[in-house]
Amino acid sequence: MIYAFDTYYYENYANTVCIAFEDWTSEKEVEVFIEQTSVTSEYESGAFYKRELPCILSLLTKIVLKPEDIIIVDGYVTLDNSGKIGLGGHLYEELKEKYPIIGIAKNEFTTPDSERRSVFRGESKTPLFVTAKGMNVDEVQLKVEQMHGIYRMPTLLKKLDQLSRT
């Protein structure tokens, strides 16, 4: 199973959503998990994970992960060539490196990262940015290219974003 997470922040709470789907090419989700939590910290530039990681970890307590499962986060796993990690990298460590973590970001992080791939989907001239731990990033790049949908954002990730905002 593939579990994709996204969190949207309101004034005094966070709405975290997870969409579970069977395969990279799936058109429909198998299950949706939603949780609202209090916001425990303000946004801190360069430390986005401090705000979002607790939300994902809390929602993960409602999910029984199997060894073959994959997790996708809205953001980065790796940030640069010196080993700095983003939200997905911190999640990978919190989960004791048991599950592959894939980061799919809409906005480019400016530092060079040899483990970051640009994915162009549909007719978009703007890429998605893919990073990973526990899975080969070149393989992930191909999988993201194959995800359902004809637009830049794959169908299920667009739905995930919409659900987190409602």
Side-chain angles (χ1 to χ4, degrees):
M1 194 70 65
I2 301 170
Y3 295 93
F5 289 82
D6 196 7
T7 300
Y8 188 80
Y9 297 91
Y10 293 89
E11 190 172 318
N12 55 359
Y13 72 93
N15 191 46
T16 303
V17 178
C18 172
I19 288 183
F21 49 100
E22 291 180 356
D23 188 76
W24 288 98
T25 59
S26 295
E27 180 179 356
K28 298 202 180 295
E29 71 278 4
V30 173
E31 195 167 1
V32 175
F33 303 88
I34 300 174
E35 181 177 64
Q36 294 176 351
T37 55
S38 298
V39 176
T40 57
S41 66
E42 292 299 314
Y43 172 77
E44 184 181 330
S45 181
F48 166 69
Y49 74 92
K50 289 181 181 179
R51 191 172 196 205
E52 191 146 332
L53 186 60
C55 299
I56 293 172
L57 290 172
S58 178
L59 188 53
L60 269 169
T61 64
K62 299 178 178 182
I63 300 169
V64 178
L65 293 173
K66 297 182 184 95
E68 66 275 7
D69 290 338
I70 297 169
I71 297 172
I72 296 173
V73 297
D74 178 20
Y76 285 91
V77 178
T78 59
L79 295 175
D80 62 25
N81 286 324
S82 68
K84 188 173 181 182
I85 57 175
L87 169 64
H90 289 281
L91 180 59
Y92 187 66
E93 289 177 354
E94 283 287 327
L95 297 177
K96 310 291 186 237
E97 302 180 1
K98 292 182 180 178
Y99 308 96
I101 308 293
I102 311 306
I104 301 176
K106 295 179 276 302
N107 299 309
E108 186 172 18
F109 199 77
T110 57
T111 57
D113 182 355
S114 60
E115 293 299 309
R116 183 183 313 136
R117 301 292 181 266
S118 297
V119 175
F120 291 90
R121 289 180 37 87
E123 295 181 20
S124 179
K125 303 288 185 243
T126 307
L128 295 171
F129 303 95
V130 177
T131 51
K133 285 245 185 209
M135 194 171 171
N136 180 287
V137 72
D138 293 318
E139 181 183 340
V140 173
Q141 178 183 11
L142 294 173
K143 299 291 187 188
V144 173
E145 288 171 357
Q146 296 168 359
M147 289 180 81
H148 184 271
I150 60 171
Y151 300 107
R152 176 180 182 234
M153 284 300 293
T155 303
L156 290 174
L157 297 185
K158 183 169 179 59
K159 182 173 185 173
L160 175 64
D161 181 66
Q162 291 168 340
L163 286 171
S164 71
R165 295 170 186 267
T166 57

